[in-house]
Amino acid sequence: MRAADSSPKGSVMKAAEVWTAERIRRQKGRGRLACLTATDAAFARLLDEAGIPLILVGDSLAMTVLGHATTLQATMDVMAHHTAAVARGVRRALVVADMPFLSFHGGRERTLDNAGRFLRESGAGAVKLEGGAFRARTVAHLVRNGVPVLGHIGLLPQQVHTLGGYRVQGRTAAAAAQLREDARRLEEAGVFGLVLEGIPAELAAELTAAVAVPTIGIGAGPSCDGQILVLHDLVGMTPDPPPRFVRRYADAGTLVRDAARAYAADVAAGRFPSDAESYGGGSSGD
Ligand code: KIV
């Protein structure tokens, strides 16, 4: 597990360089937080080197990595496995494990066991869970027992079947009022930050001004204290067209496809491997 004063490679790291849930909380009003998801050690290391402060192991990996149609298929075992991989790739960023569908519903002890597993076994520094006022007591229980929690309100992908699809939330006066109450209750319960997903930009701006913890938006306009995107969306590894709130910063899909085609052509033509890429029979060993 990552420690504040040493890295897995043995070099000393100052505690001030490491992102904790408390440091994220204190970031309110001090500059915008650019957050991303990751699902493995290789990508997590790159994001960490890029200075990303918060890396979420989102249950969206059920879709982006495992090929499912929704996030509901992410289980505790799957999330613990990927969270551990991400934590192994990270030196500075806060790793947040997403609590999967139905993992925080079966009573307080089961919820605490599941959340604790992410911190104890997988090396996460916090968990995220979906839900507003109706989850405030669960959040308070986790926080009281030493588990930092990132809240998540607005569009809740784990409720896709009851919502009837991935729809922008908070567009009616009643729905907006409910979101105000959700934000207030979660702040009171002790979240260190609040993901606002799929809500109108004006409402996100209002919620951001109303709470003392950073809001992290996805499809919630520019006024949040931070933003989060799914890495696979950011680098062009999900199908086109992406949702409106996504900006593609790279076309890794084309890069990987072109590399695979060039490799296949070289193998077919006998151009790979070359002599320099092959071993001789001598004793030098290389
Ligand atoms: O699962 C996920 O990736 C998420 C973020 C997009 C907020 O919940």
Side-chain angles (χ1 to χ4, degrees):
M1 179 146 79
R2 188 181 57 125
D5 59 352
S6 67
S7 77
K9 296 183 183 70
S11 64
V12 175
M13 182 171 316
K14 294 195 191 84
E17 292 177 4
V18 173
W19 284 95
T20 61
E22 189 46 37
R23 186 170 168 205
I24 296 285
R25 180 203 299 277
R26 289 198 310 267
Q27 202 60 22
K28 179 91 181 177
R30 295 186 180 172
R32 295 195 171 90
L33 293 156
C35 311
L36 284 169
T37 68
T39 57
D40 62 36
F43 278 110
R45 182 174 60 79
L46 298 178
L47 304 190
D48 196 56
E49 287 169 1
I52 296 298
L54 184 156
I55 298 178
L56 170 70
V57 188
D59 62 358
S60 56
L61 69 79
M63 302 169 78
T64 56
V65 174
L66 303 180
H68 293 291
T70 74
T71 63
L72 272 52
Q73 286 73 22
T75 61
M76 271 305 299
D77 285 348
V78 163
M79 294 303 297
H81 174 82
H82 284 275
T83 301
V86 167
R88 284 191 289 270
V90 160
R91 296 179 69 200
R92 295 181 179 81
L94 174 67
V95 175
V96 180
D98 214 357
M99 296 209 62
F101 184 55
L102 300 185
S103 69
F104 47 102
H105 306 61
R108 288 164 148 214
E109 293 324 306
R110 180 170 171 269
T111 299
L112 191 56
D113 275 354
N114 283 334
R117 182 175 169 194
F118 284 131
L119 270 61
R120 202 172 40 221
E121 293 172 22
S122 304
V127 303
K128 173 173 85 60
L129 60 85
E130 294 185 12
F134 65 104
R135 292 280 171 235
R137 285 158 66 98
T138 304
V139 169
H141 183 63
L142 291 176
V143 174
R144 258 199 313 274
N145 284 284
V147 181
V149 179
L150 179 63
H152 182 160
I153 60 174
L155 172 54
L156 305 179
Q158 290 177 10
Q159 301 199 359
V160 60
H161 294 302
T162 43
L163 293 173
Y166 298 102
R167 301 212 167 90
V168 175
Q169 302 295 300
R171 279 187 157 151
T172 65
Q178 181 60 57
L179 284 170
R180 286 184 201 103
E181 176 67 0
D182 289 341
R184 190 186 70 71
R185 292 283 305 282
L186 288 178
E187 182 184 12
E188 198 176 79
V191 294
F192 69 88
L194 202 49
V195 171
L196 304 179
E197 176 163 359
I199 64 172
E202 310 74 43
L203 179 59
E206 187 194 326
L207 297 179
T208 298
V211 295
V213 295
T215 58
I216 300 173
I218 174 163
S223 300
C224 298
D225 298 301
Q227 299 290 328
I228 187 161
L229 282 177
V230 171
L231 179 64
H232 290 69
D233 284 336
L234 182 96
V235 299
M237 291 183 68
T238 43
D240 282 326
R244 172 190 173 123
F245 60 81
V246 167
R247 186 181 296 176
R248 302 268 206 220
Y249 281 84
D251 187 1
T254 300
L255 204 70
V256 172
R257 217 178 290 112
D258 286 354
R261 283 192 185 121
Y263 163 72
D266 281 353
V267 170
R271 288 189 297 264
F272 178 84
S274 66
D275 286 348
E277 288 156 336
S278 305
Y279 295 104
S283 58
S284 73
D286 57 346

